[in-house]
Amino acid sequence: MKKLILLLCLLAVVPASAVTNNGDSVTRILAIGNSFSEDALDYHFHKLCEAAGKKVVVGNLYIGGCPIDRHWLNAQTDSAAYRYRRIGLDGAIIEAHNVRLGDALGSDNWDFVSFQQASGVSGEYDSYTNLPQLIAYVADRTPHDTEFVWHLTWAYSPDSDHGEFPKYNCNQQTMYKAIVDACAKAMADNPQLSRIVPSGTAVQIARFTTGDSDLTRDGYHLSLLLGRYIASCAWFEAILGESVLGNNYIPEGMTARQARKAQEAAHSAITTPLGRRAQQ
């Protein structure tokens, strides 16, 4: 009964027209994530889509630092553990707390559902053990044609003081390579994953091409302007299949040159999502 009530409450904040796909050319994306999906999707992505005339609905299930194992545990225990943020067609944001994974999956007919690993263990493939079970759980609760994608996240700043950075010898390039290797294995072992959203590769390329090896605000979360914009550009091109080059959405405070560099980095990442051309 409690699950039914929560689902009804969640549906109550979602317009009925958004719950069904009626050939309306709306792309619906749900991220099962953490603060890194928040950085990548919650700020610039919708405006990039709007500038390109694309209709999108974005849902983001958030628990700070949440790894795959915890997402899987939440699924098994039907835990009301998430903050759910939904960005509608008009860009309006609706936020709900204490949401269950299953309820969010049932709240819309999602075209894409993304998975990702917590940043500190993103380069440790032995932490991905429960990914197949999590994917199966999601598949049982989404339309048969929903695509599952992997969000390849970014390495830390060279000066990061994150407690898990020593796992990678406190070296950004070592961490990036480990993340890429883990992603390649996840894709090979989970054929249900149809594509990669290479935010991490886009950020690493931008670090190389701009000469700014940081692009974070605290050593691991992306900088509010350029870092987040780069990741959103990667999402735009990966999901919508349209080049982000020349998109005329430039956030306030960003120069046209910075926007162009960000778009070029994202475009290059789509071409070679597991590429290692980016250097520290």
Side-chain angles (χ1 to χ4, degrees):
M1 179 58 72
K2 288 182 179 179
K3 181 177 180 181
L4 176 59
I5 291 172
L6 182 54
L7 178 58
L8 291 173
C9 290
L10 187 55
L11 290 172
V13 300
V14 179
S17 59
V19 181
T20 57
N21 292 334
N22 297 311
D24 54 7
S25 70
V26 176
T27 300
R28 295 167 170 83
I29 306 158
L30 177 67
I32 301 174
N34 49 45
S35 59
F36 277 30
S37 59
E38 179 182 51
D39 269 355
L41 275 172
D42 282 9
Y43 299 94
H44 300 298
F45 177 73
H46 197 279
K47 291 178 181 177
L48 283 166
C49 295
E50 187 177 66
K54 302 295 184 180
K55 298 178 181 178
V56 295
V57 170
V58 178
N60 202 340
L61 282 166
Y62 170 93
I63 297 175
C66 193
I68 290 168
D69 286 351
R70 185 173 177 188
H71 287 305
W72 173 231
L73 178 62
N74 290 341
Q76 290 177 291
T77 59
D78 201 27
S79 178
Y82 293 91
R83 184 205 70 192
Y84 175 70
R85 181 178 290 169
R86 181 183 183 279
I87 306 174
L89 289 173
D90 59 357
I93 298 174
I94 297 171
E95 188 170 301
H97 294 263
N98 303 317
V99 174
R100 292 175 170 83
L101 174 57
D103 291 339
L105 291 168
S107 71
D108 215 325
N109 286 336
W110 303 108
D111 297 297
F112 297 92
V113 175
S114 71
F115 303 85
Q116 65 189 62
Q117 182 55 295
S119 65
V121 292
S122 56
E124 297 185 320
Y125 191 59
D126 59 2
S127 71
Y128 288 53
T129 305
N130 286 316
L131 179 58
Q133 293 92 320
L134 182 61
I135 292 173
Y137 174 90
V138 173
D140 285 342
R141 290 159 178 81
T142 50
H144 68 88
D145 56 350
T146 299
E147 285 195 45
F148 301 143
V149 304
W150 182 257
H151 184 203
L152 190 164
T153 55
W154 48 91
Y156 298 159
S157 163
D159 301 322
S160 178
D161 61 359
H162 194 289
E164 297 193 84
F165 201 26
K167 292 178 179 179
Y168 309 98
N169 299 318
C170 294
N171 183 282
Q172 183 184 91
Q173 188 64 20
T174 298
M175 184 175 185
Y176 169 67
K177 181 181 182 298
I179 293 169
V180 166
D181 288 345
C183 173
K185 292 174 182 176
M187 296 299 294
D189 291 344
N190 299 278
Q192 305 95 324
L193 296 171
S194 65
R195 65 183 80 184
I196 300 167
V197 180
S199 294
T201 297
V203 168
Q204 199 66 11
I205 289 172
R207 284 166 166 163
F208 179 60
T209 59
T210 66
D212 182 350
S213 62
D214 191 348
L215 293 176
T216 73
R217 61 187 185 274
D218 57 7
Y220 42 100
H221 292 107
L222 292 177
S223 57
L224 299 180
L225 194 61
L226 188 56
R228 283 176 167 176
Y229 184 76
I230 293 165
S232 292
C233 286
W235 272 88
F236 176 91
E237 191 157 335
I239 294 297
L240 298 176
E242 177 178 302
S243 175
V244 74
L245 297 176
N247 188 291
N248 62 17
Y249 167 63
I250 300 177
E252 184 178 353
M254 183 180 292
T255 68
R257 182 179 183 278
Q258 287 175 318
R260 184 177 70 253
K261 287 288 187 181
Q263 292 175 6
E264 288 172 351
H267 184 70
S268 294
I270 297 301
T271 303
T272 54
L274 300 178
R276 296 181 185 140
R277 54 171 286 190
Q279 300 177 12
Q280 187 172 355

